[in-house]
Amino acid sequence: MTTTEDVTTPAGATPPASPRIKPPKSNRRLRFGERTVPYLLLLPALLAILNLLGWPTLQLIGISFRKLDLRELVSGEMVWVGFANFSEILSDPEFWEITVRTLVFTAAVVITTLLLALFMALLMRHLNPVVRVILQVALILAWATPVLATTTVFQWIFDQQYGILNKTLAKLGFESFIGHSWFSTGPSTLTVIGLLVVWQAVPFVAFTLYAGLLGVPKEQYEAAGIDGANGWQAFWAVSWPAIRPILTMVTFLSVLWDFKLFAQVWAIRQGGPDGASTTLPVYMYLKGLAGNHFGLAATAALLMMLVLILLTARYVQLLVRSKEADLS
């Protein structure tokens, strides 16, 4: 039982003031600091990226508005021509022909790479351990071989006189392939280059997709089997949702890599025969270093960069949509 003590205040006296309760300190400063620290930690990396990418991009934009041939390069003279380089490049029918060829070649190589890599990833998912290790070692060796070494091997395989492919086809009864030239036309040359690129690109994509498949619990496949799903239905119901974001990522990376492909195209036939296998990077090289028209080469490079920026924006849009779909 508690007792209450009455405190009497003399008449006319002022009652004592109640003790002032200090309001809690504002958390605005703390919250501002918490929001600022991550950006401050990212600032050095951002400055490095701007230094490595931003400054060369500004230089590229500046050169694209100049006439920079060998004479201007040696003398150091600054000759501004405005949009003359863009007008010359965009009015060149060869540029548009090469652009269409590059886009078609990139699309064909990327689609072939994704289909073969997906098949390899699913194959590794179902093979026994010994065969799977053998396949993985073969893929790693194909991936680790230097580009020029692989290009030399492919040139020997498709050689007109001494190539093992022509000899094998002739022994199989296809005598028309005796002395057949695989580099006589642009489409056949690009086909050989595409096979070379696919050979080197499949391992990375296959291992990436295989890692995504390993993250799918076996119980989901068992549940799909209990529900009566066949192999194709189980793939669409279980495997596809798991690898779809990864497939989007490797598709984007493959498009970037194959669109700016140079070494293989140049090493095979330097864009020949008669420029029929020339792609945009080779066109830029021929205009710039070989032709000593560095302003035109910078303009072509800037146009290529704009195409890649559009592709990057499309990838980011698809990524945001997939994130929103996962949250909904």
Side-chain angles (χ1 to χ4, degrees), residues 88-98:
E88 182 175 348
I89 289 289
L90 296 177
S91 61
D92 185 7
E94 184 184 9
F95 170 77
W96 293 107
E97 180 183 354
I98 292 173

Side-chain angles (χ1 to χ4, degrees), residues 34 42 60 79 82 119 171 209 214 285 291:
E34 291 178 350
L42 291 174
L60 181 68
V79 181
F119 172 75
K171 288 184 177 182
L209 295 177
L214 289 180
Y285 171 80

Side-chain angles (χ1 to χ4, degrees), residues 190-268:
L190 286 175
T191 301
V192 176
I193 297 172
L195 292 175
L196 170 61
V197 176
V198 169
W199 172 268
Q200 294 183 304
V202 163
F204 170 78
V205 181
F207 277 114
T208 305
L209 295 177
Y210 177 63
L213 290 174
L214 289 180
V216 181
K218 294 183 179 180
E219 291 77 9
Q220 295 186 13
Y221 291 103
E222 295 175 357
I226 293 173
D227 292 337
N230 55 29
W232 186 253
Q233 292 172 339
F235 169 78
W236 283 110
V238 180
S239 301
W240 179 250
I243 65 174
R244 184 176 58 183
I246 302 175
L247 190 64
T248 303
M249 180 193 68
V250 294
T251 301
F252 169 71
L253 293 176
S254 298
V255 169
L256 293 183
W257 292 335
D258 297 338
F259 184 78
K260 58 187 181 65
L261 193 70
F262 174 80
Q264 293 89 330
V265 180
W266 184 257
I268 290 289

Side-chain angles (χ1 to χ4, degrees), residues 1-321:
M1 181 175 181
T2 58
T3 59
T4 303
E5 182 180 356
D6 295 332
V7 180
T8 58
T9 304
T14 304
S18 59
R20 180 176 297 178
I21 301 175
K22 295 182 179 180
K25 294 183 178 180
S26 176
N27 293 329
R28 290 183 179 179
R29 292 184 179 181
L30 182 60
R31 292 177 181 175
F32 177 77
E34 291 178 350
R35 291 195 300 264
T36 307
V37 169
Y39 295 101
L40 292 177
L41 294 176
L42 291 174
L43 185 60
L46 180 61
L47 293 177
I49 292 175
L50 291 177
N51 185 34
L52 294 175
L53 299 179
W55 178 247
T57 302
L58 293 177
Q59 290 280 23
L60 181 68
I61 295 174
I63 294 174
S64 65
F65 290 99
R66 293 165 51 189
K67 179 185 178 183
L68 188 60
D69 295 345
L70 189 59
R71 185 176 68 86
E72 288 79 14
L73 185 65
V74 174
S75 63
E77 184 181 1
M78 301 281 288
V79 181
W80 297 96
V81 295
F83 291 94
N85 290 330
F86 291 90
S87 178
E88 182 175 348
I89 289 289
L90 296 177
S91 61
D92 185 7
E94 184 184 9
F95 170 77
W96 293 107
E97 180 183 354
I98 292 173
T99 301
V100 173
R101 180 187 302 142
T102 305
L103 292 174
V104 173
F105 173 77
T106 302
V109 170
V110 170
I111 292 174
T112 306
T113 300
L114 294 176
L115 292 177
L116 289 177
L118 182 59
F119 172 75
M120 289 290 180
L122 293 173
L123 193 63
M124 286 189 287
R125 181 73 169 74
H126 295 90
L127 288 175
N128 65 74
V130 177
V131 180
R132 182 169 60 245
V133 169
I134 295 174
L135 178 60
Q136 291 174 346
V137 170
L139 290 174
I140 291 175
L141 291 177
W143 187 23
T145 306
V147 173
L148 293 180
T150 308
T151 304
T152 303
V153 172
F154 267 72
Q155 285 179 313
W156 172 72
I157 291 174
F158 291 91
D159 186 78
Q160 181 177 359
Q161 298 297 331
Y162 307 102
I164 190 173
L165 180 60
N166 285 345
K167 292 183 178 180
T168 303
L169 292 174
K171 288 184 177 182
L172 292 176
F174 301 97
E175 297 182 357
S176 60
F177 284 95
I178 298 177
H180 177 74
S181 176
W182 295 92
F183 304 104
S184 59
T185 63
S188 62
T189 303
L190 286 175
T191 301
V192 176
I193 297 172
L195 292 175
L196 170 61
V197 176
V198 169
W199 172 268
Q200 294 183 304
V202 163
F204 170 78
V205 181
F207 277 114
T208 305
L209 295 177
Y210 177 63
L213 290 174
L214 289 180
V216 181
K218 294 183 179 180
E219 291 77 9
Q220 295 186 13
Y221 291 103
E222 295 175 357
I226 293 173
D227 292 337
N230 55 29
W232 186 253
Q233 292 172 339
F235 169 78
W236 283 110
V238 180
S239 301
W240 179 250
I243 65 174
R244 184 176 58 183
I246 302 175
L247 190 64
T248 303
M249 180 193 68
V250 294
T251 301
F252 169 71
L253 293 176
S254 298
V255 169
L256 293 183
W257 292 335
D258 297 338
F259 184 78
K260 58 187 181 65
L261 193 70
F262 174 80
Q264 293 89 330
V265 180
W266 184 257
I268 290 289
R269 283 297 182 274
Q270 294 80 44
D274 298 328
S277 64
T278 300
T279 56
L280 279 177
V282 176
Y283 174 82
M284 182 181 62
Y285 171 80
L286 292 174
K287 285 289 185 182
L289 295 180
N292 295 322
H293 301 297
F294 302 102
L296 292 176
T299 305
L302 186 60
L303 294 174
M304 284 184 57
M305 187 177 68
L306 292 176
V307 174
L308 295 178
I309 289 175
L310 293 176
L311 294 174
T312 305
R314 178 58 179 168
Y315 168 72
V316 172
Q317 184 181 10
L318 292 175
L319 189 62
V320 170
R321 286 182 179 178

